[in-house]
Every structure is written in C-alpha cells, then in structure tokens.
Amino acid sequence: MKHTSKRWMGTGIAVILTTAMVTGCAGGAKNNAGDGTQGGGAGAGAKPFEGKSITLVTANHPWGDAIKPLLPEFEAATGMKVNVQSFFEDQLTQKLTVQFTAGSATPDVFMYRPLQEGKLFYKNGWVNPLDEYPQKDASYDFNDFSKSAIGSVTVDGKLAGIPIITEQEILYYRKDLLKNAGLEVPKTMDELMAAVKKLHDPSKEMYGFVARGQRSPLVTQVSSFLYSEGADFMNGDKATINTPEAVKAFTTYGTLLRDFGPPGVLNMSWPQAFGIFAQGKIAFMTDANSLYGNVTDKEKSKVADQVGFAMFPGGKAGSKPYSITSWGLSMNAKSANKDAAWEFIKWASSKDVVLKTQQAGNPGARASIWDKAEGTTGFPAELVPIIKESAKVGVDHDRPVVISVGEARDAVGEIVQQVMAGQTNIQDTANKANAALQTIVDKDKTK
C-alpha cells in the first residue's frame, strides 16, 4: 500500500529499540563519546558497538518507511545489528504501558506522541531525560532544532525525547475562487470571516469553511484560534479556557462551522473535512499541513491544481499556529544500554538522516534542512515558506498538556460544540469546562 501524508495524523506504528549485549563486547559503548562523526558517530574503521543488537519497531508511517532503507549504513558504521518490529498506534501505546508498568528494561528506545502520552510516560518515570546527551557531540548541533519542536518534547523542564516529525496548522484555500471573486488571501481572522461569507453559497453546494467539528478532534485545531487571540488552555497549573480571549476564539471557530460549514460538520474529523474539500465544495479550511496530500493528489482531489496554502490568520495576538512535534524518539529509563540507545537516536535525528527522511516527505525539526533546497523537494514549493514561518512563530502544543488528555479534550470540545449547536452565550459552558479542566490538572499533581 502506498503511504501518504494522511498517515501522519492517525494510524501509525511507533519505534521501539531493544538492546541485547553480546558477551565479550563490554565497554565498547565508551568509545563513541565525542567522536563527532555526523550520521553514525563512529570514526573511520571504528565500530564502537560491535556485536550488539538492537530491535527497532517503526511506524506504519512514512518516517518508518524512510528510515528502514538507511539502517544498513548505521549498522556498518556502528557494528550494531538492527532488527525491525512494528505495531499499530493503539497497540503500541498499550504494549509500552504494559512493559513499562512491569519495569521492563526493554524497549530501550521508543517512538511516541509527545503531546498525547509524553507527560504520562515522564511522570511515571518511564523515560530517561536526555538533556546531557546532545551536549556530548558538538556536530550534532542541538540548537538546529526549532524551539517549538523541542518545547513539545520537554516535560517539567527536562528533555524527554528528540523530535522526528513536526506539524503546524495552516490555512488551505481555493486559488480559483479567490481570484474569481477578486479576493486577497486572508491574513487576519476578520479578513477570513469576510472572505468566507462572500464565497459561501449553499445553493450551489459551495461552503465557505470547513474544519474538524467532532468534540475531541476539534481541540487540536481550535488551539491556533486560541493562541492567536492571546489565550491558551492553561497558564501554568491554572485552567484558562473561560477567559474573554478564549471565549472569543471558541466562538469564532464554532460560528465559522455553524454558519458557513457543510451539512454534517458537527460529526467531521480530518478525513471528512479533507474529503469534502477535495470534492471542490469548500473555499477555506484550517488543519494540519502534514495532511496536504489529501487535497493535492490528483487521484483523490478534483481541485488538486487549485489548492493554496497560507499562514494561519492572525487574531488579536497575531498569527500563532501550533507548531508541534507529533512524533519523537525517547529512551527507556530502565534501559541497560543507554549509550547504544542514544547512538541510534543521535543518528536517526542527525542532519544527514533528517535530510534523507525529509526528502521522502517527512517534515523534520531541523531549521538547517528547511533552508536547503534539497531538503524541501518532498513538499509543494508554496508550502515550504509557510512551514518555515509557522515553525518560527508557532506554539509548542495543540492541546492541554496533561496526563488525562482525553478528558481534557472533551471538556474543551464541549464549548465549541455548544456554539455550533446555536448557543449564543457560552460563558456558562466555558466556566463549567474550565472547572472540569482544573480538576484534571489538579488530579495530575497527585499521580
């Protein structure tokens, strides 16, 4: 099956590393410190991990497809043997939880979703902070990673993982519709609202706007509306989804869907939203840049040649889309072979390897690769500057950063759905949702 960018958001598998030490090779890992070789970490002819074996469980995901063909070069440089295993996303989380709860020393390294289970894994003591590792090798150039991507993998001030896949919320639009109507691409939320109203014509099955309307899925996408109004889900340990700025953001999102969305939008997640855009029935859509292939693929989209990309429209605080790490690599706190585990993470996130995986269409977190012409060949030329700018100004989370993520998303999503249902004054709903989110935050402190 051909994998496309749509796999980045939902189904997936993740990566696990387990390390087996072969008798007689003790001390080999010590040789890799400070070597400085980009991509493998081993000097010419040196194989510091000779005789060791690691198991890599990689995603049914474009990043996994891109990394597998590169593994032989890692094996040749380090002397390690890499064995590959795979799990679907939900299976992976369950497997990791069972193994970590049992205190297992394997897997040594695992692929995970930082904003979904990162805080839970860290709070439970399952991940090994990586703060000291990037500093051991200057050529790794840790400062090359975008600030927002590192923010996503940071928990309580500690580096809990390394970013491998990034994502930002952008504005999708129909070039032909704007041109015919004499409209400029909206740069502000007010301009977006005006353009949406002008292009909305249900009598011709043309709808001004679409986005995720389902209670939980919508939360990640309304986050950019929230930040761009100067609000956030929380301020420290205090829930803040009932502030005037937050209420305005939720009202704007809900109103766009209620008044200018297609029939059934209340039940739409990203597949349905992208599907109806691809049918040519939508003027504007806000969602993840990683899903662009669903509307630019001529085999799936009737408007593939007319899709435009733009920065998320600015609100009171300007344009502040989420800019996150959707997948990262982390190390098991109980791993018996942490030097070997880091060697793989370092290689997989090195400049050379990120260049290769990004050329295959996997958006990485290194600024230097986005600045290289050869690093952007896997993306539409018009999308590249939007990704680069979004990474610079974006916010490092797209949901409340709590342990009980599902409960928190439901609380936030309820506010927007009430707007979509026609409620004109949502302050009471926002107050109740804020109290529910505060309870979740407080509960996290006792875990």
Side-chain angles (χ1 to χ4, degrees), residues 241-309:
I241 54 174
N242 65 341
T243 65
E245 294 82 5
V247 169
K248 181 179 180 182
F250 296 139
T251 300
T252 298
Y253 188 90
T255 300
L256 281 167
L257 292 178
R258 181 191 67 210
D259 295 347
F260 308 106
V265 71
L266 189 71
N267 297 311
M268 289 187 180
S269 186
W270 73 262
Q272 295 79 25
F274 275 82
I276 195 166
F277 189 100
Q279 290 171 22
K281 298 181 179 182
I282 303 294
F284 294 96
M285 174 174 66
T286 55
D287 211 295
N289 60 344
S290 58
L291 297 169
Y292 74 86
N294 291 277
V295 291
T296 59
D297 185 339
K298 293 183 179 180
E299 294 182 3
K300 294 186 288 186
S301 176
K302 296 179 179 179
V303 293
D305 294 331
Q306 297 298 334
V307 178
F309 313 103

Side-chain angles (χ1 to χ4, degrees), residues 114-171:
L115 297 173
Q116 189 66 24
E117 56 249 349
K119 190 162 188 176
L120 171 65
F121 286 7
Y122 184 85
K123 289 288 188 181
N124 285 346
W126 295 342
V127 303
N128 191 85
L130 300 175
D131 302 76
E132 65 179 275
Y133 290 95
Q135 314 308 324
K136 293 181 178 180
D137 186 345
S139 70
Y140 182 62
D141 194 6
F142 184 66
N143 291 331
D144 189 37
F145 289 93
S146 74
K147 182 179 179 180
S148 58
I150 294 300
S152 295
V153 295
T154 300
V155 182
D156 293 345
K158 295 293 185 180
L159 186 65
I162 296 293
I164 53 173
I165 295 291
T166 64
E167 178 176 288
Q168 296 87 23
E169 185 168 5
I170 65 170
L171 177 67

Side-chain angles (χ1 to χ4, degrees), residues 16-17 53-57 71 75 81-85:
I16 302 176
L17 282 168
S53 175
I54 62 175
T55 299
L56 171 65
V57 178
L71 293 176
E75 293 177 324
K81 171 62 180 173
V82 180
N83 301 304
V84 182
Q85 295 180 356

